[in-house]
Structure formats: C-alpha cells, structure tokens
C-alpha cells in the first residue's frame, strides 16, 4: 500500500451506515406520475410529488436487501454486523456499476472493498451540499485531461470556500495512486472535496478538517454515439454563480435528466435567463450551422466543460480540411439551434452524442450528422494517443 500524508483520523466510535436507495423503472415512474395529481403546483413540482409516491411504492425493495427485516423491530447492530450487512448489500447486485478502489482522507488510505466505500453521514457534503467534485476519464491505462479537470476542481473549491486538505501535487499523487491500486485501465476517476464531517449545523465552522474522497469506476466499453432526442427543460436553471461551479448540488441537473427521460428523450436542455441555449443536464451543447460553422454557447453562465473545450481545439482540424468553415462561441437562440444542420451533446461521459430531435423539431435530416461523428472520432483518438499534456500514464 502506498504511503499518504497524515490525514485526520476518524472520530472514535464513529459508525457509517449508508441507506441503499431504491428506485423504480422508468415505466413505473411514468405510471406513478400519471396517477398522482397535485393541484396548484408547477409541472416540475408535480413531477417531484410523483417521484415521492414512486419511492414509497418501491420501499419493499430496501427491506428485501436486508436493510430492515421487520419494520416493527429495527435491530441495533454492532460494527461487525453493520459490516456484514454492507457485504450482503454489495453481493445483492443492487449496484449497477463496478467500483474498483476508493480513497478517503478520513481513514487516510485506499480500499478496494466496495463495502467499505462509505463516507460519514455528518459530512457537510452529504447533509448541506457543501462540496465540489470532478471526473477524469481512464483510457487504456492513462488519465485523460487530469490537469485540466484538477484546475477546474480547485477553482470550484475556492468558489465554494473549501480549504484544501493537501496541496495540489499531493492531491494529484493521491488520485493517480488510487487508480493504480484499482488496476482499472478503462473507466472513470471521480473525486470530491468537502468541508468535512463534524456536525449537522449549517455553518462549516464546526468541521475540523476538510475531506478528499476519490473512487474508480470501471467502464469496459464506450457508448456508441447514436442519435437522441432532447426536450427543453422546465426545471429552473441554476444561477451563473452556481452554474460555473462544479458543486455537488445537482438536484436541478438530476431533475432535468429525469424530465427528459419521462418525455422519451435522452435529457433536457436548459435556456439561460435571456432565453438563449445554455447547456444540457450535465453536458455542453454544440451546433453545426447551415454555413458549416461549429457553434457553441459561451461559458460565462454555464459550466466550462473540459471535454467541450478540447473538442473546440480539435475541431480546428476540420476547418483545415474544409469540413467546417469556422468555430464560434456566442449566444445561440432556440430558433437558431433548432434550424441547425447538426446538434450534439458534449461531455466526458458521452464524448460527442448527436441530437436528431429537439422537442417536436427534427434537427437537419433527422439523422446523425458527419461533423458529430468526426468530432467523436477526434476526441476518442486524442484519448487513446493524444499528447502528454492530456494523457498521464498510470503506474500499475
């Protein structure tokens, strides 16, 4: 096991007991939504009420997982019994991703046991949302754009007034060592900075030390860039102050994603306070105009996407070979966006995903366009064989 800098020890006698979240399939959520009416609430609030009803309907799933055997007699468990039940939950198959390794500054090391990948319930990131995060792709044993994501990660921490538990070189080293311990060669590294555990107050003044967490998620296959539908989101967009910060406050993003799925779409598209195209639920938006110009909304009111900025840089190759006439970042109206030849979503989890329909409007020919495919190929090639500035080898 690698040696790490001294970290704040876990509080004596502390117990960590996560509560598994049950969820309903999309069809059941739609059924719950259609049978639940809440008069006088906006549409996005009514959907929230329907989700509560759906969660209640699915509560038997949690009982089946062994969280509570008898609702009339909740057992008081020892630490070893909690650990055993966490192992049982992990073995139940309730998780649909494979977690390869986790680092926590609370216990000051790395674990490869998914049952131990937990954080304190009194961490202010959990109960107050006072935390930031970022994600870096792992491709062929390399971390892709780690430095660029770290820059944004640390900027977000400053904006969120989270003091760093370690300096940047130490954080970078911890992240690389966590991936090394995981043995994962393809997937993603997700990491968080929090003001830390300490109490359940609103103020973080009672938190003795900020906390760093990181987890490696294996994803052996890449998504195929198939065309998708999007809808204009009715969920209120975050204000620019919070939109440009990658904080853990992703409830608006999650509801925008759910709203899209409930309407047979991949996700929702946010508009800014002036009605211009902003971004998707957790990805940027790009267009190809009829004059073959690559067009992307400005980053001043939305999250500055690392993948989107890299795509803009790589797209210069398509200008050189004549497939694009130019590259521009400016305000984009809904009318202009819907009239584009191509539309695409851009993000680290999807790379470049073509959009073939926005609301009731088909985009271009209604099929995946050549520029979206070309940009996907360019970013994928960059992930596999790009320069050292974007690819850091992992010492397994």
């Amino acid at each position: 096991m690698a040696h790490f800098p001294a970290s704040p020890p876990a509080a004596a006698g502390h117990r960590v007991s996560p509560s598994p979240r049950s969820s309903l399939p999309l069809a059941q959520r739609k059924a719950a939504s259609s049978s639940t009416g809440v008069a006088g609430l906006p549409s996005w609030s009514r959907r929230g009420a329907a989700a509560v009803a759906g969660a209640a309907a699915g509560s038997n799933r949690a009982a089946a997982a062994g969280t509570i055997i008898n609702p009339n007699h909740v057992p008081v468990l020892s630490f070893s019994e909690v650990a055993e039940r966490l192992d049982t939950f992990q073995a139940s198959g309730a998780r649909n991703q494979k977690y390869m390794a986790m680092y926590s500054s609370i216990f000051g090391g790395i674990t490869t046991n998914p049952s131990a990948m937990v954080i304190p319930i009194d961490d202010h990131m959990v109960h107050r949302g006072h935390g930031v995060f970022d994600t870096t792709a792992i491709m062929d044993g390399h971390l892709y754009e780690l430095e660029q994501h770290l820059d944004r990660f640390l900027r977000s921490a400053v904006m969120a007034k989270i003091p760093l538990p370690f300096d940047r070189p130490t954080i970078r080293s911890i992240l690389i060592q966590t991936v090394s311990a995981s043995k994962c060669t393809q997937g993603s590294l997700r990491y968080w900075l929090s003001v830390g555990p300490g109490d359940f107050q609103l103020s973080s003044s009672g938190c003795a030390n900020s906390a760093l967490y990181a987890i490696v998620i294996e994803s052996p296959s890449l998504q195929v860039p198939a065309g998708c539908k999007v809808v204009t989101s009715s969920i209120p967009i975050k204000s620019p102050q919070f939109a440009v910060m990658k904080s853990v406050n992703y409830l608006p993003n999650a509801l925008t994603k759910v709203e899209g799925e409930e309407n047979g779409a991949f996700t929702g598209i946010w508009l800014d306070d002036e009605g211009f195209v902003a971004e998707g639920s957790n990805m940027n938006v790009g267009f190809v105009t009829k004059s073959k110009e690559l067009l992307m909304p400005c980053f001043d009111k939305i999250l500055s996407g690392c993948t989107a900025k890299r795509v803009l840089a790589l797209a210069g190759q398509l200008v050189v070979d004549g497939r694009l006439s130019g590259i521009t970042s400016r305000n984009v109206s809904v009318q202009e966006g819907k009239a584009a030849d191509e539309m695409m979503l851009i993000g680290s989890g999807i790379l470049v995903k073509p959009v073939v329909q926005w609301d009731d409007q088909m985009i271009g020919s209604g099929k995946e366009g050549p520029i979206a495919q070309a940009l996907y190929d360019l970013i994928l090639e960059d992930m596999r064989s790009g320069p050292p500035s974007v690819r850091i080898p992992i010492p397994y």
Side-chain angles (χ1 to χ4, degrees), residues 41 70 73 93 127 137 227:
L41 292 179
N70 183 346
H73 177 65
H127 65 84

Side-chain angles (χ1 to χ4, degrees), residues 6-308:
S7 304
H14 186 74
R15 297 291 183 266
V16 181
S17 181
S19 176
R21 175 176 62 88
S22 61
S23 60
L24 288 173
L26 180 59
Q28 293 186 38
R29 290 207 306 270
K30 287 182 177 178
S33 177
S34 64
S35 64
T36 305
V38 184
L41 292 179
S43 60
W44 55 267
S45 185
R46 288 198 298 271
R47 282 189 291 275
V52 171
S59 62
N60 286 339
R61 283 217 230 295
T67 305
I68 297 176
I69 304 301
N70 183 346
N72 297 316
H73 177 65
V74 181
V76 177
L77 305 174
S78 67
F79 183 81
S80 61
E81 288 171 324
V82 169
E84 182 180 352
R85 291 195 177 203
L86 287 174
D87 284 337
T88 300
F89 174 72
Q90 172 63 25
S92 71
R95 291 181 168 125
N96 56 21
Q97 289 185 311
K98 193 171 182 180
Y99 310 140
M100 306 300 291
M102 176 191 176
Y103 169 83
S104 169
S105 63
I106 301 300
F107 51 75
I110 299 167
T111 178
T112 57
N113 182 349
S115 300
M117 296 177 187
V118 293
I119 66 175
I121 191 68
D122 67 339
D123 191 306
H124 280 228
M125 183 170 68
V126 175
H127 65 84
R128 297 298 181 188
H130 200 164
V132 298
F133 78 102
D134 221 302
T135 305
T136 299
I138 305 167
M139 172 65 75
D140 297 337
H142 290 71
L143 282 164
Y144 184 67
E145 287 203 301
L146 175 62
E147 305 297 353
Q148 293 81 354
H149 283 90
L150 263 180
D151 287 342
R152 184 174 66 181
F153 184 52
L154 299 182
R155 283 198 309 269
S156 293
V158 170
M159 287 188 282
K161 298 187 176 181
I162 300 172
L164 299 184
F166 315 112
D167 60 21
R168 181 193 172 110
T170 301
I171 292 174
R172 182 183 185 275
S173 175
I174 289 171
L175 296 180
I176 292 173
Q177 290 181 69
T178 303
V179 179
S180 177
S182 76
K183 307 302 182 186
C184 176
T185 59
Q186 186 158 306
S188 61
L189 169 68
R190 185 163 294 196
Y191 35 100
W192 296 260
L193 276 169
S194 160
V195 290
D199 53 38
F200 287 94
Q201 302 301 321
L202 180 61
S203 170
S204 59
S205 61
C207 301
N209 298 96
S210 54
L212 172 68
Y213 307 103
I215 193 164
V216 178
I217 306 167
E218 185 178 60
S219 302
S221 60
L222 291 170
Q223 291 190 22
V224 177
C228 69
K229 173 186 174 182
V230 296
V231 295
T232 303
S233 178
S234 69
I235 307 300
I237 190 172
K238 288 183 280 191
S239 68
Q241 178 182 358
F242 294 104
V244 299
M245 181 194 320
K246 200 169 177 69
S247 77
V248 299
N249 295 292
Y250 257 44
L251 182 57
N253 308 67
L255 292 178
T256 294
K257 176 68 170 173
V258 170
E259 179 183 41
E261 292 173 344
E262 289 176 341
N263 285 278
F266 179 72
T267 192
I269 298 295
W270 267 322
L271 308 181
D272 68 17
D273 55 353
E274 297 181 86
F276 292 112
V277 180
E279 58 185 335
S281 53
N282 62 338
M283 65 283 290
N284 293 103
V285 186
F287 302 92
V288 178
T289 67
K290 294 191 182 301
S291 61
K292 299 305 176 186
E293 181 182 49
L294 178 62
L295 184 58
M296 198 173 292
C298 299
F299 295 121
D300 56 340
K301 296 181 180 180
I302 59 176
L303 188 68
S304 178
C306 294
T307 305

